[in-house]
Every structure is written in C-alpha cells, then in structure tokens.
Amino acid sequence: MGEKVIGLRETERGLKPHFVLVHGIGGGGWCWYKIRCLMENSGYRVSCVDLRSAGIDQTHADSLLSFDDYNKPLIDFMSALPDNEQIILVGHSAGGLSVTEATHKFAKKIRLVVYVAATMLKLGYMTEEDVKDGVPDLSEYGDVYELGFGLGPDQPPTSALVKKEYQRKIIYHLSPHEDSTLAAMLLRPGPIKAIQSARFVAVADEDHNVDKVPRIYIKTLYDRVVKPEQQAAMIKRWPPSDVYVLDSDHSPFFSTPFLLFGLLVKAVASFGFGLNHL
C-alpha cells in the first residue's frame, strides 16, 4: 500500500519517472548516451551509473575481487536516494546482476526493474544452471578475450576484455559503425572474478522482498553475447511481469535506440505512472 501512495504523490507533483541506467561488463554510463538524450528531451530524469573500473571510474579491474566492491557505486547511489522516491532501474547485460542486488537491498525505492539483454538470476551465480544461463559463452568465435591475471599467472583470470577485432562481430554487429567505433575507444577490461562471485540472499521482509518489485525483460533476438536461448531460460526460471522483444544485437541502445526508448516508456506506463505524465 505504501508503494502506491508514494507513486501517487509523485504523479500529483507532476514529476516524470527517474530512470537509473546500469551498464554491463566493460562498458560505462556512456553506453546509454542515445537513450539518455531521448529521455531528457522528453522530460524524464535520468542517471547513468559508472560501476567500479568502468566509465570514468579509475579503479583497475584486476584489483576488484568481490561483487560488493564492483557494485558499490550503484548501492551508494540507491542509499542516497530520498526514502520517498521510487526509481525505474534498468540493467543491461551483466548489469542485470547489479540491479538485482540493488532490488534485494532497496525494494521499497524501486518502482520497476527492466532487464535489457541482461543476466536475470534471482540469487546470482548459485548453481551450475545459473552459470550456464547467465554467463556468455563466446567459445564459438575462438580466442576472443584479453585476460588479466591480477592474482598471478597461475591463478584464474581477474579481468577480461573482448579483443578489438571481435567486438563488432560479437557485441555490435547490427549497430552503426560510429557506435562500435566509439565503443572500441571506451570499453575497458571487466572484473570477471568479481562479477562471477555475485551471490545474493533472499529476505522475506517487506522492505527487501525482491519479488514485490515488478520486472520487465527485454529480449534481443539477434544477441551473440547473452544468446536468445539463455534469455529464454532465465525468463522461464524467474518469470518477470512481462516480456518485450527487440530485433536487435546485444546493444539495442546503439542498434535500436528509438524502439528501446519506446519500450521503456511503455513499461513505465504499465506500472504506475499516469499516461498524462509520459
């Protein structure tokens, strides 16, 4: 009941929804530049978070060994939000893990979570099935990663970056060349050891119940990273409130920005903000 009251007050004040956009591994807030422009030109409030070692954050990926460290910027952002504000939280790719953790911790501050070609696992990487469904398998393309070994050459890798010659073919094959060129300049190694340690504890109380927050999944039909069968498996195991579909590659914020923007607006209209404020 409390959540609905908050939503009504926001609408009564004439405030448009506040979108918080979370990038995937190796990316940064810059990934969302087209979506941010479309949203702000339409009057929405938008925040793009840089997780640690991403975007303009200066942390080295090989120094991050826990998911809590990696995801700290988002958790700090959520902590600083006023208690009476509810946001729309959007995660892309591995950013799905980030938004899931935030939902476990701050369910009352989140109106809706949207997973865009994202890892959607309720408890993170708890089982082999979670890894199969949620971790990209790019082995069909060959030796595609530049790996970092922050713990030493005899230990598992701590960071990974898709080599430049494979980035367009795998991540951006339907995107404009300008955007894949920009991405090649800005992508940074992602802290894979930290991300693969993502595990969450479900809490049943009202303030932290992750299942109380509506979820939308946006499937990307021509995705070569989080493949359509992986997306379908995660949707089946933890069914969201609704599923939308885009004819896009793994990066719809580049390849189909107007359609992605339209689906985000549609999602918000379906879950609690009056159409007159959209």
Side-chain angles (χ1 to χ4, degrees):
M1 196 69 177
E3 290 182 8
K4 291 182 179 178
V5 170
I6 291 172
L8 286 172
R9 288 173 183 165
E10 287 173 342
T11 304
E12 287 165 4
R13 292 200 307 269
L15 292 179
K16 285 200 173 186
H18 180 184
F19 286 89
V20 177
L21 310 179
V22 183
H23 62 83
I25 186 170
W30 57 268
C31 295
W32 300 100
Y33 80 96
K34 289 182 175 180
I35 302 301
R36 180 170 192 156
C37 183
L38 289 168
M39 286 181 167
E40 290 183 340
N41 285 344
S42 298
Y44 296 102
R45 295 172 288 158
V46 186
S47 299
C48 299
V49 178
D50 280 331
L51 302 177
R52 294 193 71 193
S53 78
I56 63 172
D57 184 275
Q58 294 302 303
T59 308
H60 198 288
D62 287 323
S63 71
L64 294 173
L65 304 179
S66 75
F67 189 76
D68 285 348
D69 282 347
Y70 171 65
N71 207 34
K72 188 174 186 297
L74 178 59
I75 300 306
D76 289 347
F77 179 92
M78 296 297 302
S79 297
L81 283 175
D83 288 337
N84 65 343
E85 181 174 355
Q86 285 191 313
I87 61 158
I88 313 301
L89 192 55
V90 182
H92 173 251
S93 198
L97 293 162
S98 296
V99 302
T100 299
E101 184 189 43
T103 310
H104 278 286
K105 293 177 179 292
F106 301 99
K108 289 188 72 174
K109 289 186 176 182
I110 302 168
R111 171 64 64 84
L112 174 67
V113 183
V114 184
Y115 293 80
V116 181
T119 305
M120 185 176 68
L121 301 168
K122 183 176 180 179
L123 300 178
Y125 294 125
M126 285 290 195
T127 68
E128 289 184 10
E129 191 174 9
D130 293 328
V131 173
K132 177 185 175 185
D133 295 342
V135 175
D137 178 6
L138 307 184
S139 58
E140 67 188 273
Y141 299 102
D143 179 20
V144 304
Y145 288 116
E146 295 175 4
L147 298 174
F149 294 88
L151 297 177
D154 58 337
Q155 297 295 315
T158 47
S159 68
L161 174 66
V162 174
K163 295 174 182 176
K164 275 187 167 46
E165 59 265 34
Y166 291 102
Q167 288 173 6
R168 178 164 181 83
K169 179 177 182 179
I170 298 173
I171 312 172
Y172 309 112
H173 66 285
L174 298 179
S175 298
H177 280 271
E178 295 90 342
D179 291 320
S180 58
T181 300
L182 175 70
M185 297 167 66
L186 295 177
L187 282 174
R188 295 173 59 188
I192 55 171
K193 182 173 177 59
I195 290 172
Q196 289 170 357
S197 73
R199 293 173 181 82
F200 316 127
V201 177
V203 180
D205 70 76
E206 187 73 22
D207 290 352
H208 303 91
N209 190 340
V210 70
D211 285 316
K212 292 275 189 180
V213 181
R215 285 174 290 115
I216 297 283
Y217 198 99
I218 298 180
K219 295 174 67 176
T220 42
L221 288 186
Y222 301 104
D223 201 316
R224 295 176 177 175
V225 181
V226 183
K227 296 180 174 64
E229 56 268 28
Q230 291 179 292
Q231 298 180 34
M234 290 186 286
I235 289 167
K236 183 177 180 180
R237 291 176 58 205
W238 192 27
S241 308
D242 208 345
V243 177
Y244 303 155
V245 179
L246 280 174
D247 290 330
S248 82
D249 55 19
H250 186 60
S251 305
F253 40 66
F254 290 159
S255 58
T256 56
F258 293 99
L259 294 174
L260 176 57
F261 171 64
L263 290 183
L264 292 172
V265 171
K266 175 183 174 182
V268 170
S270 301
F271 290 93
F273 284 93
L275 282 168
N276 57 315
H277 293 282
L278 298 172

